């Protein structure tokens, strides 16, 4: 007898040494078994709001300008100072709203800058009216709506070069915010 012959192996050991079937690509060994339950269908997210809708962008920018002007006016009225970062926030919020919903229309950054100028002016008027109402001990709405000419005169008296720098900052932030948000 020769020593190179291998002794016969029992049937159970021969089956145990056979290689395992290949695994599925996703790594789930139970996915391809017969009788497996298929996964539920994928849930899809709702469609994104339409872009390049100039009307929606303009309406949103106007609403954002009014809200931002009110907040800016409250900040000025409570602190009794104009704050530069708040003017940046007013402009950026208006530009962001217009650009996100209005898309890449080239008119939106310009309109956003104009709305930012108006919002900063309105916010400064609201702040002046709040300060005047506190000093006089009367209601804000009485000062703002009944004596608007006095509020504008007070704004003119308090306006300095820094006031107009805040206008420029807000317009720039709105213009650049609208351009970047539309991308």
């Amino acid at each position: 007898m020769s020593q190179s012959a291998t002794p016969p192996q029992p049937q159970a050991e021969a089956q145990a040494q056979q290689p395992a079937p290949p695994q599925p690509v996703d790594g789930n060994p139970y996915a391809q078994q017969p009788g497996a339950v298929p996964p539920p269908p994928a849930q899809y997210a709702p469609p994104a709001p339409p872009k390049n809708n100039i009307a929606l962008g303009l309406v949103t920018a106007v609403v954002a300008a009014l809200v931002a002007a009110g907040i800016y006016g409250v900040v000025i009225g409570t602190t009794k100072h104009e704050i530069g970062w708040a003017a940046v926030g007013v402009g950026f919020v208006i530009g962001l709203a217009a650009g996100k919903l209005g898309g890449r229309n080239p008119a939106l950054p310009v309109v956003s800058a104009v709305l930012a100028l108006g919002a900063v002016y309105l916010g400064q008027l609201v702040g002046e009216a709040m300060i005047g109402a506190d000093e006089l001990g009367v209601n804000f709405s009485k000062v703002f709506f009944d004596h608007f000419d006095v509020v504008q005169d007070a704004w003119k008296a308090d306006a300095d070069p820094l006031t107009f720098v805040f206008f420029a900052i807000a317009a720039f932030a709105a213009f650049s915010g609208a351009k970047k948000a539309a991308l």
Side-chain angles (χ1 to χ4, degrees), residues 2 41 43 58 70 77 79 90 139 154 163 166:
S2 123
Q43 298 294 327
L58 289 175
T79 63
V90 167
N139 193 357
T163 300
F166 291 147

Side-chain angles (χ1 to χ4, degrees), residues 11-120:
Q11 189 73 356
E13 287 181 18
Q15 289 177 351
Q17 292 179 359
Q18 291 178 352
Q23 293 290 320
V25 179
D26 64 355
N28 185 354
Y30 303 107
Q32 296 178 350
Q33 289 187 355
V37 177
Q43 298 294 327
Y44 296 103
K51 284 196 137 194
N52 295 329
N53 187 347
I54 189 167
L56 183 61
L58 289 175
V59 169
T60 306
V62 168
V63 170
L66 292 174
V67 170
I71 293 171
Y72 185 53
V74 169
V75 168
I76 291 173
T78 55
T79 63
K80 297 183 178 26
H81 297 295
E82 296 175 16
I83 299 175
W85 59 263
V88 171
V90 167
F92 186 73
V93 163
I94 294 168
L96 180 73
K100 276 292 185 190
L101 295 176
R104 294 184 180 199
N105 192 306
L108 287 175
V110 175
V111 172
S112 296
V114 171
L115 285 173
L117 293 173
V120 169

Side-chain angles (χ1 to χ4, degrees), residues 1 10 15 17 30 32 44 46 66 68 76 79 99-100 126 131 136 146-147 154 158 169 171 175-176:
M1 277 207 166
Q15 289 177 351
Q17 292 179 359
Y30 303 107
Q32 296 178 350
Y44 296 103
L66 292 174
I76 291 173
T79 63
K100 276 292 185 190
V126 168
I131 293 169
L136 297 174
D146 294 343
H147 304 289
D158 288 344
I169 289 171
F175 188 87
S176 62

